[in-house]
Amino acid sequence: VAAHMRATTGRVRPVGSGHSFTGLAPSEGMMVDASALEGMFAYDAATGEATFVAVTRLFHVASALDEVGRALPNLPDIDVQTLAGSFATGTHGTGNTLSALHDYITAFQLVTANGEVMDVTETSHPELFGAGKVSLGALGIMTQFTIRTVPQFNLHRQMVAEEIDPFFEKIEDLAKAHRN
């Protein structure tokens, strides 16, 4: 990716799964699709941190983490987004007390417009780290993310059909009583 960026003139936009409801990726310039490079390439059992190629789709992230007994604390209802896309657009997942997905990032690798490869953490580049977590693809091309994980867990889905008026009377109590 870095060599490609150094050799390219004009605008470059990364593109992921195309799930965003906005026209984020379309460009008059070059569009970079690195989706063939997905996967987890590092896992630290001591910290629970896992490093993934940025274009790994969320369902593959969940599967790879499951294989090592880990999970993300929160996921959205739709799991076809890439890590980079879900982070760049501020995807939030479900659950009132659960943070947005980008809060799990502990480090990322960024390739800038001039082809510089930057390894970014909160301590190495604090301002860039904050901006890069939800960047809308404006800072360059994210090539990898290191994320915090939790021990795997099970959720139990329960669906109930109710009349709307009685439901609204207890909606706040239900929200307090359930994680999602």
Side-chain angles (χ1 to χ4, degrees), residues 26-131:
S27 172
E28 297 297 321
M30 179 184 305
M31 293 179 66
V32 176
D33 177 0
S35 58
L37 304 174
E38 72 173 347
M40 179 170 70
F41 61 89
Y43 170 68
D44 184 335
T47 64
E49 291 182 341
T51 303
F52 285 89
V53 176
V55 293
T56 306
R57 294 178 189 264
L58 293 177
F59 67 89
H60 286 143
V61 170
S63 294
L65 290 174
D66 185 59
E67 289 179 18
V68 294
R70 303 297 287 183
L72 290 174
N74 190 11
L75 280 173
D77 291 336
I78 299 169
D79 62 0
V80 297
Q81 304 101 306
T82 63
L83 279 174
S86 64
F87 296 150
T89 58
T91 297
H92 52 79
T94 60
N96 285 337
T97 62
L98 300 173
S99 64
L101 300 185
H102 62 269
D103 283 342
Y104 312 136
I105 300 171
T106 60
F108 59 83
Q109 187 175 78
L110 170 70
V111 178
T112 65
N114 66 2
E116 179 185 1
V117 178
M118 298 183 71
D119 292 313
V120 178
T121 67
E122 191 168 23
T123 55
S124 71
H125 302 87
E127 292 168 355
L128 185 56
F129 181 74

Side-chain angles (χ1 to χ4, degrees), residues 162 167 170-180:
E162 294 188 35
F167 174 74
K170 61 183 180 179
I171 193 168
E172 289 192 26
D173 291 334
L174 287 170
K176 290 176 188 172
H178 299 281
R179 178 183 183 268
N180 300 70

